[in-house]
């Protein structure tokens, strides 16, 4: 439809254009909320699982060792580790680092974390490349946003980069890191699938515990 204005015909409805700055902010907000939602779900699941005792008096370290032995893997060292980053498998050194709580406790939470990380050791038997890539992406997401924000702030203060452009670049980069991380989640799901046979055999007489672990 057209409207007459000052002797000229103009469109009555103009196409809506979303400024790049607003789009970058929306992308950042959406990915940040999705990340917070995932972290919140994990924390709630772990809090509930810490209230449930494991059906056997095995600690997280002991159940992880049983699982690895059932898979024919005996070259992985399981160590208690308290640091900035805990509960992970190091494929280069063949070591499974568990926080003191996961290493020593006999809760379903300790079992879930220890078994999941131990399953990564089984993955390296087939192909360690995907796991290494996943760990690289995790490190990128852990430290990347901080360095990126500091860099953008410094460039803005030094007037090398306009504030508007710095915000746009940060929003786009943040969203890219989020999508990159989401794209590697198949590695985590695959690790959980490798636990199924062991859990079904080990907890055949404890269906309630099996159901809870699968849910966690």
């Amino acid at each position: 439809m057209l409207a007459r204005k000052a002797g000229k015909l103009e469109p009555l409805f103009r196409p809506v254009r979303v400024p790049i700055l607003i789009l970058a902010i929306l992308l950042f907000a959406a990915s940040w909320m999705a990340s917070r939602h995932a972290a919140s779900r994990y924390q709630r699941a772990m809090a509930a699982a810490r209230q449930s005792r494991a059906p056997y008096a095995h600690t997280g370290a002991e159940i992880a060792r049983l699982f690895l032995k059932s898979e024919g893997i005996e070259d992985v060292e399981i160590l208690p580790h308290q640091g900035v980053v805990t509960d992970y498998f190091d494929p280069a050194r063949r070591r499974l680092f568990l926080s003191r709580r996961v290493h020593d406790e006999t809760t379903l939470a300790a079992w879930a974390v220890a078994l999941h990380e131990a399953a990564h050791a089984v993955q390296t038997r087939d192909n360690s490349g995907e796991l290494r890539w996943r760990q690289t992406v995790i490190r990128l997401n852990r430290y990347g946003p901080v360095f990126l924000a500091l860099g953008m702030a410094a460039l803005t203060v030094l007037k090398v980069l306009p504030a508007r452009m710095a915000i746009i670049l940060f929003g786009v980069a943040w969203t890219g890191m989020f999508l990159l991380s989401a794209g590697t989640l198949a590695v985590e799901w695959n690790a959980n699938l490798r636990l199924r046979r062991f859990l079904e055999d080990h907890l055949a007489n404890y269906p309630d515990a099996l159901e809870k672990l699968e849910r966690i």
Side-chain angles (χ1 to χ4, degrees):
M1 297 177 66
L2 300 176
R4 185 176 297 278
K5 182 179 179 182
K8 297 180 180 180
L9 293 177
E10 295 185 357
L12 191 59
F13 301 104
R14 296 180 181 276
V16 177
R17 294 182 180 180
V18 180
I20 296 179
L21 176 61
I22 295 178
L23 181 60
I25 293 174
L26 290 175
L27 288 173
F28 165 78
S31 56
W32 183 83
M33 287 189 292
S35 300
R36 289 296 86 206
H37 174 68
S40 177
R41 285 192 63 189
Y42 173 80
Q43 291 165 1
R44 288 198 303 271
M46 287 297 102
R50 290 189 186 105
Q51 306 303 315
S52 300
R53 307 300 298 180
Y56 298 106
H58 295 320
T59 64
E62 289 169 344
I63 196 66
R65 192 172 289 111
L66 280 175
F67 167 67
L68 291 173
K69 187 176 181 180
S70 73
E71 293 289 334
I73 297 177
E74 299 186 4
D75 64 337
V76 172
E77 187 177 6
I78 302 176
L79 300 171
H81 179 259
Q82 207 64 41
V84 177
V85 180
T86 57
D87 300 325
Y88 70 96
F89 172 67
D90 183 345
R93 292 181 288 176
R94 303 293 292 171
R95 288 179 177 177
L96 176 57
F97 294 100
L98 299 177
S99 62
R100 181 66 65 178
R101 167 179 272 182
V102 171
H103 187 278
D104 296 340
E105 285 188 355
T106 58
T107 63
L108 289 184
W111 276 32
V113 174
L115 285 170
H116 173 82
E117 296 305 326
H120 285 312
V122 181
Q123 286 178 319
T124 61
R125 186 172 56 191
D126 303 329
N127 180 14
S128 63
E130 292 181 355
L131 176 60
R132 290 177 187 274
W133 173 238
R134 166 70 177 165
Q135 292 177 331
T136 298
V137 171
I138 290 175
R139 286 192 289 270
L140 174 65
N141 279 268
R142 180 177 293 118
Y143 306 113
V146 175
F147 287 110
L148 182 64
L150 292 175
M152 293 297 102
L155 291 175
T156 301
V157 171
L158 295 173
K159 299 187 182 303
V160 176
L161 199 66
R164 179 176 180 275
M165 183 57 65
I167 294 173
I168 291 173
L169 291 176
F170 180 82
V172 171
W174 173 288
T175 305
M177 286 186 283
F178 170 80
L179 294 175
L180 194 61
S181 183
T184 65
L185 286 178
V187 176
E188 304 300 313
W189 292 327
N190 179 265
N192 289 338
L193 287 175
R194 292 171 184 266
L195 297 167
R196 185 173 297 278
R197 184 179 63 184
F198 171 79
L199 290 176
E200 289 176 348
D201 292 343
H202 200 71
L203 299 177
N205 296 326
Y206 299 92
D208 290 343
L210 176 60
E211 182 182 353
K212 287 181 179 179
L213 271 175
E214 288 181 339
R215 199 159 55 239
I216 297 168

